[in-house]
Amino acid sequence: MTRLLLIDDEQRFARALAISLRPHGYEVDVATTGEEGLALAASTHPDVVVLDLGLPGLDGLEVLEGLRAWTRVPVVVLSARHSEPSKVEALDAGADDYVTKPFGMEELLARLRAAQRRGAGGAPEEGVVETKHFSLDLSAKRAMVDGEVVRLTPKEWQVVTMLVRNPGKLVAQRQLLQEVWGPQYETETDYLRVFLASIRRKLEPVSGRPRYFITEPGMGYRFEP
Amino acid sequence: MTRLLLIDDEQRFARALAISLRPHGYEVDVATTGEEGLALAASTHPDVVVLDLGLPGLDGLEVLEGLRAWTRVPVVVLSARHSEPSKVEALDAGADDYVTKPFGMEELLARLRAAQRRGAGGAPEEGVVETKHFSLDLSAKRAMVDGEVVRLTPKEWQVVTMLVRNPGKLVAQRQLLQEVWGPQYETETDYLRVFLASIRRKLEPVSGRPRYFITEPGMGYRFEP
DNA sequence: GGTCCCCGTCAAGCCGTCGTGAAGGTGTTG
DNA sequence: CAACACCTTCACGACGGCTTGACGGGGACC
């Protein structure tokens, strides 16, 4: 769920927009003044901000500057003003995008996705698998056992990754062989035996009695968290 | 100086735009077909791309996909189409912004600045990486080992930068080759071996036994802070 | 209780990958 | 034109991961 902060003084418009955004996976907080917007941003740490420029009191640009003083959260500016200078001003003040009213909902959603995509850094944080005895950082390709770094070979990583991505589920031998070694190795179950032995030696507390990487005879393997 | 790649088939329009952009600090390369655009992107490594959707031959969206396959360079899409679906399509294909013709020059410049700001800022570019044996100033492109200034070549800097920006994380060989040398070099692992050897000679206390730039055989390299 | 199949373990050999040094090419600078 | 820095390419030895085979254990079925 993505936290979205909407700063807009027109309550009816804001409420309508919030309602339109929620079904698309956004958890929307609404602020109706600039001050409230800054306060909410500080307290809720939104993943993306939608900021209407036409605010009474604290001006929209000042809100933008207030945000940029401490965060790089993606900000999409809404405005009824089509004039070029105000676009330039907002973008140079640190806005990520500038959408003029009236706008299409689909376009706003697409621009929100684009703004967020880069905010996230493009590197989708992949899961870290933790058990009592070891932890696997799939994106960093790093395994730790009792605080010690353990190195896995490429094939070992591929097998382990497939298993831990389906926690508790049975992964068929054929599936493992196809995806790791290729479709023509479908029947080489020897490989799996050797590699599972190696994986258990490196990760299991007692490799002779597996607790995490379980064999289902004749079928496949299962990762038990 | 910012390298900008302009991909547009209307030569007169492209030339005019290029001339307008140059005084604002852009070094502009122009491609008049999608194929040429992809080739130029791979060889010149632009800091920002302006892509006209209305291309003959290879479609603008296909060019965008070709770029996104290997680089996260900011892409601003130009289009005569105001329709919402084409905006959504382009933004979801990885465009950073979508500007409809006709547009004001100042707005385009502002949107280019905004797109670039994020592209450059996603990772802490200005950071200084410190270890017990050396320090790297990424923004100043300056390396110090035991208080002595050490010179790194451009390619060495690119490789080192990619690695230290992901401390502790494994960076795949393909990823390094694609982003430093370009997508068509993704199998030339020879380059990496040579450059890593050179980097280690310059930065590692004992280049024979690397402590900071670790090889993960068959997978890639890792910077260990 | 015997047989068979599947599994786990170990060890040996092969081959791919890595690190290194050096040569050749290219573009730049003085 | 010479000197230089940088990149590309190649060859060679060393290392390590992958493959392969042999062996023993355990459970299912007869």
Side-chain angles (χ1 to χ4, degrees):
Chain A
M1 193 69 129
T2 308
R3 286 195 85 92
L4 184 148
L5 172 60
L6 173 59
I7 310 177
D8 196 322
D9 66 306
E10 301 174 47
Q11 298 217 15
R12 295 178 50 181
F13 177 79
R15 195 157 32 215
L17 190 52
I19 290 171
S20 305
L21 286 168
R22 289 209 178 91
H24 290 95
Y26 292 97
E27 185 184 338
V28 184
D29 296 312
V30 178
T32 54
T33 68
E35 289 83 353
E36 192 189 354
L38 287 175
L40 270 178
S43 60
T44 68
H45 286 263
D47 300 308
V48 58
V49 174
V50 175
L51 171 64
D52 193 317
L53 276 194
L55 290 173
L58 203 59
D59 181 71
L61 278 183
E62 296 176 273
V63 176
L64 190 47
E65 282 159 20
L67 286 172
R68 280 291 172 260
W70 64 276
T71 177
R72 301 176 48 85
V73 60
V75 175
V76 175
V77 163
L78 296 183
S79 172
R81 276 178 265 172
H82 287 255
S83 81
E84 208 175 7
S86 59
K87 291 185 188 176
V88 173
E89 212 174 358
L91 289 168
D92 282 344
D96 293 79
D97 206 340
Y98 188 105
V99 182
T100 53
K101 303 185 197 175
F103 54 85
M105 197 60 204
E106 289 304 321
E107 176 179 353
L108 178 62
L109 286 168
R111 288 191 183 271
L112 284 174
R113 286 192 293 271
Q116 251 192 291
R117 185 173 53 228
R118 262 155 329 166
E125 279 298 323
E126 233 173 324
V128 177
V129 179
E130 293 264 11
T131 75
K132 204 180 261 182
H133 292 88
F134 60 84
S135 77
L136 304 170
D137 187 331
L138 296 183
S139 68
K141 292 246 185 302
R142 169 175 294 213
M144 306 257 289
V145 179
D146 294 332
E148 300 272 316
V149 173
V150 173
R151 295 170 71 132
L152 300 187
T153 70
K155 287 254 185 331
E156 286 166 5
W157 266 112
Q158 292 185 63
V159 172
V160 167
T161 301
M162 278 201 67
L163 290 174
V164 299
R165 279 198 180 138
N166 301 291
K169 281 190 183 174
L170 175 80
V171 180
Q173 297 172 340
R174 231 181 256 166
Q175 202 180 339
L176 282 164
L177 289 164
Q178 275 193 7
E179 297 213 14
V180 176
W181 278 267
Q184 64 272 35
Y185 292 83
E186 242 183 38
T187 56
E188 302 287 334
T189 55
D190 287 349
Y191 296 179
L192 288 179
R193 290 210 305 276
V194 176
F195 275 83
L196 260 295
S198 170
I199 288 167
R200 284 168 178 150
R201 251 197 313 279
K202 292 182 179 179
L203 297 181
E204 291 276 2
V206 186
S207 81
R209 226 153 327 200
R211 168 174 171 181
Y212 298 105
F213 297 98
I214 313 295
T215 301
E216 300 284 353
M219 306 175 62
Y221 296 87
R222 177 199 311 279
F223 170 65
E224 201 69 46
Chain B
M1 195 68 131
T2 308
R3 287 196 84 93
L4 185 148
L5 172 60
L6 172 60
I7 309 178
D8 196 322
D9 66 306
E10 300 173 47
Q11 299 218 11
R12 295 179 50 182
F13 178 79
R15 195 154 34 212
L17 191 53
I19 290 172
S20 306
L21 286 168
R22 288 206 178 91
H24 292 280
Y26 291 98
E27 184 184 339
V28 184
D29 296 311
V30 178
T32 54
T33 68
E35 290 84 352
E36 192 189 352
L38 287 175
L40 271 179
S43 59
T44 68
H45 285 261
D47 300 306
V48 58
V49 175
V50 174
L51 172 64
D52 193 318
L53 275 194
L55 290 173
L58 203 56
D59 181 71
L61 279 182
E62 296 176 276
V63 176
L64 190 48
E65 281 160 21
L67 286 172
R68 279 292 172 262
W70 65 276
T71 177
R72 294 177 36 211
V73 61
V75 176
V76 174
V77 163
L78 296 183
S79 172
R81 275 177 266 170
H82 288 252
S83 82
E84 205 176 8
S86 59
K87 291 185 190 179
V88 173
E89 209 175 2
L91 289 168
D92 281 343
D96 292 79
D97 205 340
Y98 187 106
V99 181
T100 51
K101 302 186 198 178
F103 54 85
M105 198 58 203
E106 290 305 320
E107 177 178 352
L108 178 62
L109 287 167
R111 287 192 183 272
L112 284 174
R113 286 192 292 272
Q116 250 190 291
R117 184 175 56 229
R118 274 161 314 180
E125 176 85 23
E126 45 216 297
V128 176
V129 179
E130 293 266 9
T131 74
K132 204 180 257 181
H133 292 86
F134 61 83
S135 75
L136 304 170
D137 187 333
L138 295 184
S139 62
K141 296 253 179 295
R142 168 174 288 234
M144 304 259 290
V145 179
D146 294 332
E148 303 266 318
V149 174
V150 173
R151 286 174 50 88
L152 297 188
T153 71
K155 286 257 187 326
E156 286 166 5
W157 266 113
Q158 292 185 62
V159 172
V160 167
T161 300
M162 278 202 66
L163 290 174
V164 300
R165 271 189 190 157
N166 302 293
K169 278 193 178 178
L170 180 103
V171 182
Q173 297 169 342
R174 236 180 249 165
Q175 202 181 338
L176 281 164
L177 289 164
Q178 280 190 355
E179 297 213 13
V180 175
W181 277 268
Q184 66 272 38
Y185 291 85
E186 69 174 18
T187 58
E188 301 289 332
T189 55
D190 287 352
Y191 296 180
L192 287 180
R193 291 211 305 277
V194 175
F195 275 82
L196 260 294
S198 170
I199 288 167
R200 283 168 179 150
R201 257 197 306 279
K202 293 181 179 179
L203 297 181
E204 290 276 2
V206 186
S207 81
R209 208 128 6 133
R211 167 174 170 181
Y212 297 106
F213 297 98
I214 312 295
T215 301
E216 298 284 355
M219 299 192 290
Y221 296 88
R222 183 197 307 278
F223 170 65
E224 199 72 47

